[in-house]
Amino acid sequence: MTNPEKVYDFLKKNIRNGFCDDCLEKRVGVNRHEVNTIASTLALFPKEFTRVSATCPQQCSSRDKLVTQAI
Ligand SMILES: [Zn+2]
């Protein structure tokens, strides 16, 4: 599986559950820089994914981060 496929697959399996780039890196095993590129690309499909600045639902940090989620 390619890295974009891994991120896509993980988000689809955790539908309606948001993850920041740091959490995606930890959970999917793809480095944060690549996660950023992949998630930005997924955000081009707003019927399938959202990517907004918010507190990460995984509670990894209290500051706002870009959170990606499959809808
Ligand atoms: Zn997080």
Side-chain angles (χ1 to χ4, degrees):
M1 217 190 253
T2 65
N3 286 341
E5 284 170 345
K6 284 183 199 167
V7 174
Y8 179 94
D9 192 64
F10 177 80
L11 288 169
K12 284 289 190 183
K13 281 180 178 155
N14 291 279
I15 198 154
R16 286 184 286 279
N17 207 345
F19 300 87
C20 71
D21 292 356
D22 296 318
C23 287
L24 284 173
E25 176 182 50
K26 264 183 247 155
R27 303 283 286 274
V28 185
V30 176
N31 82 64
R32 201 185 169 290
H33 180 77
E34 200 171 343
V35 163
N36 183 284
T37 306
I38 294 164
S40 301
T41 305
L42 295 178
L44 297 174
F45 302 92
K47 284 180 183 158
E48 283 192 82
F49 295 95
T50 60
R51 181 162 166 84
V52 295
S53 186
T55 307
C56 177
Q58 310 310 314
Q59 301 180 330
C60 63
S61 164
S62 56
R63 68 186 173 89
D64 279 5
K65 296 179 171 189
L66 280 171
V67 172
T68 309
Q69 131 172 22
I71 51 178

